[in-house]
Amino acid sequence: MVLLAPGAAIQPFLADLAREAPGSTVSQDVLDRVGYTRDATPFGFLERRAGVIAEGPGAVVWPGSTQDVVTLVKLAGKHRVPLYPFGAGSGVVGGLLPRTGGVVVDLKRLGQVAVDRAARTVESGAGVLGERLERALNAYGFTAGHFPSSIYCSTVGGWLAARSAGQLSSRYGKIEDMVLALEAVDGLGRVHVAHRGDVPDLLRALIGSEGALAIITRAWLRIHPLQTHHTIFGLAAPNVTAGISFMRQVLQAGLRPSVFRMYDPPDTMLAGGIPKASPAPLVLPGPISRAGHEDGSMQGKPRAGTAQPPQGLFDMLSRRATAALRREVAGGRVTPLLRGVVGRALQQTTWLEVPYARLPPHCLLVLGLEGDAPDVEETLSHALSLAREGNIQVTGRAPGERWLKRRHAVTYKMPPFLRSGGWADTLEVSACWSTIEPLYFQTRETLLRHAVTLAHFSHAYPEGGSIYFTLAGGSGSSLDSALTAHDAAVEDALAVFARLGASLSHHHGVGRMKLRNMKAALGPGAHAALSRIKVALDPHNILNPGVLGLGGTP
Amino acid sequence: MSVLLQPVDGLCTLDGGVPLMAALQAAHAAGSHLGTLSPRYPTLQAALDAGDPLWCSRLVRVQVQTAHGWLAGPLAPRAAMGPDLACFAVGTGARVQAVTVRLDPAVAWVSQSFDGVERALEAARTLVTRGCSLVELRGLRASPTLTAALPRQGAGRGFTLVEHATLRPLDVRHTLVAAYEDVASMWPAHGEHHLAALDLHRVVLSSSQEERPFPTASPTPPYLRDVFAPAPEDSRA
């Protein structure tokens, strides 16, 4: 990647900042600027590899307090310098695309954590990494219950700005369910403390605002005592329809599983198929979030020199490609020939419809429950009763234990696959239960025209749930051809979402990837209202301009 | 005016002007509930204009008419599509056209009296932990009665099960959202009051008394007050 030089207009701003906010750390080092050029959007990786000339931030600033953020914003308003709030860069929809005339505001120095055990709340700085928050809470016997697969590379502020969801969301909810209040600095440097239930509820306007309305600096979240017992095990549904019905009945019976996931037939096959019966579910001591922790470390954390166990599509494809690469590539460079072979093999996917149709229809589910021992016993009994009624078979503990071991690994799997000559992306969507089944089948049929497609169902709620599609294709010989194929796949899938009344996104957000579809999805008055809120909170249009379709060029 | 129950999706869609008692009765007759035994306000429009915490906590989708056209979120749970504008518009005077709220099953009921609010609160929290989404206390501080709807029989273990619960009017004049830990000190020593669990952390305390027994909420900042100005043709503007 080639980085353009910082805009000249930024220097007077930085000089003022050094004078008026000496607590802020500033860098214009080229490595810092490159590092903050993109979030984790898959095509960001491909652009870097292709040597695309890109804009990047003119500087990176690390404020040390809310007051530093206030000063920063006021000076940015005075100099009309765009600010790009940054947590840990795990976003995947292009929410971060800084221009050379702008400044990235990395909030990781806002790192305080204060636990109120009596109120069961935690006050957290916006820059606290998920893993650090959870470790701090565990030390007091609590959990936030929020375990996104990006927990090692995402922050509390980022979770709120993008409406994050964690792996235990069916019990603990999404981040918008967890937050009780937040502090944010708007585009004029005013500090807001928005509480749940305020009228109007400013909290609802700031959550999911993706940095366009205010910079989130602090949050107060619910926390929960670590549960004393858990169970986690696998089940097999005869088909997608039966599996969806079972998930709905469990949630509507008031059961709140911590883990509840179902893999569609292709994903089930890639995970090794339906396993033979393993030992029956057991109620075990400890919470699911700490299951298997013997050394105090987080489960599944990638460690230097430790290979992650293979899982799913990326592994199957990248394992073979990587093995070939290792034989043929010196110094980590991929030969154009090999990349072309891998990329082209995935360019045409229409042939996949035949093997997809012949796959066994079974779906693997993982169900995890936690609470005190009587609670777990009672909810397990009820869940098993519903399973019997729905012709869902218990397959034993092994699938649950395997999921626990690999739960955070997927975040780190995409780059090796991209290196091998493919493109990949994910699309997540939520819908009511009556829509979930047609949404799955119609989206899968649509995506298969463009890409290899897998799906799993997770984040189940009493009124509906989420489907997470993984798509992969070949990049062929050029970045442009990969982008064309990718954009066509996403556009067609989003059209299906819209037609069925599903959401554009469940927890990745809008960013710049889904901008074109947002206005239609929200209704004719929504964008006008959103624009008026933008003007009310950020009249100089300095906060992440372009995102959510607000304030200028995306 | 209509009430549309959607039990497969666990939802109920109603017009802003529909009498809330009628909506509660429809849900009750179908073996379901809308989170409360009391309508609290005559209509959902009135409840949302007042920013009633209980009804606001059950919103899934709001369609409102503003001076700039209507807006509504998707009918999809927990969508990540920017700010929740329609729910943010609640309480700004915007005219509510249709509202979708959560509808939960009530396969059985619990009714039990306690000899103090502390023990009643502990019981309420236990039931919420077990998945109960309608848990209410009513009465005097020294002798509140708990009523809860059960999503499954097993959730009521250890409590007194009853077959039915009765819908009752409640003229809400004052409300306050509080943490469970704070309720005991806030529940006035005299007079009957009402409490509904919102979730594992918060409850809404309500009073029909003339004088205000709880603190008031903070006013809306002026720069946000006009964002959702009602449409000019709206007679309430």
Side-chain angles (χ1 to χ4, degrees), chain B residues 95 230-237:
Chain B
R95 187 161 62 85
E233 66 273 21
D234 187 337
S235 59
R236 297 179 313 106

Side-chain angles (χ1 to χ4, degrees), chain B residues 168-179:
Chain B
R168 305 176 202 188
L170 174 71
D171 180 17
V172 174
R173 297 191 180 191
H174 311 289
T175 61
L176 177 74
V177 174

Side-chain angles (χ1 to χ4, degrees), chain A residues 202-440:
Chain A
L202 184 59
L203 200 65
R204 291 193 190 250
L206 296 179
I207 297 171
S209 60
E210 303 190 16
L213 300 180
I215 297 177
I216 296 169
T217 49
R218 188 160 32 162
W220 289 262
L221 306 177
R222 308 171 192 278
I223 57 175
H224 308 266
L226 286 167
Q227 300 298 324
T228 60
H229 290 79
H230 78 276
T231 185
I232 184 164
F233 57 97
L235 303 113
N239 51 51
V240 168
T241 304
I244 290 171
S245 176
F246 174 60
M247 294 183 83
R248 177 179 67 80
Q249 288 177 51
V250 165
L251 268 295
Q252 291 184 350
L255 304 185
R256 296 291 176 267
S258 291
V259 181
F260 206 8
R261 312 165 70 81
M262 179 174 77
Y263 301 89
D264 79 342
D267 213 353
T268 296
M269 185 199 72
L270 282 171
I274 301 295
K276 292 178 182 171
S278 58
L282 273 183
V283 177
L284 299 166
I288 280 178
S289 60
R290 303 289 298 165
H293 285 225
E294 293 173 357
D295 61 357
S297 66
M298 297 283 283
Q299 191 79 39
K301 180 182 180 182
R303 299 188 180 102
T306 305
Q308 290 297 301
Q311 181 189 36
L313 175 68
F314 294 147
D315 281 301
M316 186 195 77
L317 297 172
S318 65
R319 207 165 52 230
R320 292 177 186 173
T322 304
L325 288 173
R326 283 190 180 131
R327 288 193 297 272
E328 298 195 20
V329 175
R333 295 174 57 191
V334 181
T335 63
L337 175 64
L338 185 62
R339 194 189 299 179
V341 168
V342 174
R344 285 197 172 81
L346 291 172
Q347 270 188 306
Q348 293 295 325
T349 53
T350 47
W351 59 272
L352 280 168
E353 289 171 20
V354 174
Y356 265 56
R358 292 183 179 172
L359 280 175
H362 302 97
C363 299
L364 178 67
L365 293 102
V366 176
L367 178 61
L369 303 162
E370 60 181 341
D372 60 27
D375 273 347
V376 179
E377 295 283 4
E378 187 265 320
T379 52
L380 175 61
S381 166
H382 197 86
L384 294 179
S385 162
L386 291 172
R388 279 191 297 275
E389 289 170 16
N391 196 24
I392 310 288
Q393 308 294 319
V394 174
T395 64
R397 296 203 297 272
E401 290 164 356
R402 192 166 63 227
W403 178 83
L404 276 173
K405 285 180 185 169
R406 301 171 182 177
R407 53 192 280 201
H408 294 304
V410 69
T411 296
Y412 307 94
K413 289 181 177 303
M414 200 175 283
F417 174 65
L418 299 178
R419 277 201 299 275
S420 68
W423 66 262
D425 207 343
T426 55
L427 281 174
E428 25 63 72
V429 59
S430 62
C432 295
W433 287 118
S434 57
T435 308
I436 285 280
E437 187 181 340
L439 179 66
Y440 165 71

